[in-house]
Amino acid sequence: DVKNLSNLQKIDNWTYVLNHCTFKQLTDFGLLNKEKLYIFSCVRNIFYRMISLYCVYGSRCGSFDKFIEEVSVHLENIRSNVNYKLTFTANVDNLFLSQKDFLILENKIVCMDIFRFEEYDKMISKVSKISGKINKLILFKNVSPNRKDYRSYYSVKTKKRVEKLYEEDIDFFKFQF
């Protein structure tokens, strides 16, 4: 049931926005027709992404190190399907998945374009040209003011742990610390 998908936003009769759903989830709900759509994605350096997730969801953990420990357990449960229950909603739980998981359907990358978060303006320009209009939703870029450099949050231990947890993303997208 489409109404039960988390973070479904109806914009108008023709436009729906689903944030943080994998292609498999969209396909399972009958919402993805890859033959008729321009499919793109925006990926973010995993080291910076984890800081962003910590600032939004992890402050209850106290320290960033503790947050990464909890993410490690949570991600292992999701990947192994052992004792896995939705923590918040599929939308939030999906935030902890590998970004590559969002781009794959039947073991193939289905995106026509993959942009890096640092190329946001380039993405907006290309998507606007293809669609023939500027989508106000993707123009919004949520930027936290005055955040210190993401590297300063990491200890040697947390850096290694994130490297291990997201090794596939780091290798595939060539993310660097």
Side-chain angles (χ1 to χ4, degrees), residues 161-173:
R161 189 168 232 164
V162 169
E163 287 172 340
K164 184 178 178 191
L165 288 171
Y166 294 99
E167 180 177 14
E168 187 176 20
D169 270 4
I170 292 168
D171 292 343
F172 185 79
F173 297 112

Side-chain angles (χ1 to χ4, degrees), residues 76-88:
E76 186 57 38
N77 286 341
I78 290 173
R79 288 175 177 167
S80 67
N81 250 351
V82 174
N83 300 321
Y84 176 65
K85 295 177 185 161
L86 287 176
T87 307
F88 300 98

Side-chain angles (χ1 to χ4, degrees), residues 119-158:
E119 304 173 310
Y120 199 80
D121 293 335
K122 179 180 171 185
M123 178 187 71
I124 297 297
S125 176
K126 182 159 186 180
V127 171
S128 297
K129 283 179 189 173
I130 288 170
S131 70
K133 62 182 178 179
I134 295 175
N135 187 320
K136 291 178 184 172
L137 284 175
I138 62 173
L139 282 177
F140 177 73
K141 185 175 172 184
N142 188 10
V143 178
S144 300
N146 305 320
R147 187 175 292 165
K148 59 186 178 179
D149 186 302
Y150 71 86
R151 291 172 199 88
S152 66
Y153 287 83
Y154 284 86
S155 65
V156 172
K157 181 180 174 184
T158 54

Side-chain angles (χ1 to χ4, degrees), residues 20 44-61 64 67-68 71 88 91-97 99 147 154 166:
H20 307 129
R44 193 172 195 184
N45 181 313
I46 193 62
F47 297 104
Y48 192 84
R49 183 171 173 234
M50 295 311 295
I51 298 302
S52 189
L53 289 171
Y54 169 68
C55 290
V56 175
Y57 300 105
S59 58
R60 65 174 176 73
C61 297
F64 181 65
F67 172 69
I68 294 300
V71 167
F88 300 98
N91 171 281
V92 173
D93 282 7
N94 280 358
L95 291 174
F96 298 99
L97 295 175
Q99 292 176 92
R147 187 175 292 165
Y154 284 86
Y166 294 99

Side-chain angles (χ1 to χ4, degrees), residues 32-39 112:
L32 182 65
N33 183 341
K34 63 184 183 214
E35 286 76 34
K36 294 184 178 182
L37 298 172
Y38 166 65
I39 300 171
M112 295 157 188

Side-chain angles (χ1 to χ4, degrees), residues 13-54:
N13 288 337
W14 305 102
T15 308
Y16 288 85
V17 175
L18 286 164
N19 294 320
H20 307 129
C21 287
T22 66
F23 286 125
K24 180 170 179 356
Q25 289 168 327
L26 293 173
T27 301
D28 289 350
F29 281 104
L31 298 173
L32 182 65
N33 183 341
K34 63 184 183 214
E35 286 76 34
K36 294 184 178 182
L37 298 172
Y38 166 65
I39 300 171
F40 69 98
S41 186
C42 185
V43 296
R44 193 172 195 184
N45 181 313
I46 193 62
F47 297 104
Y48 192 84
R49 183 171 173 234
M50 295 311 295
I51 298 302
S52 189
L53 289 171
Y54 169 68

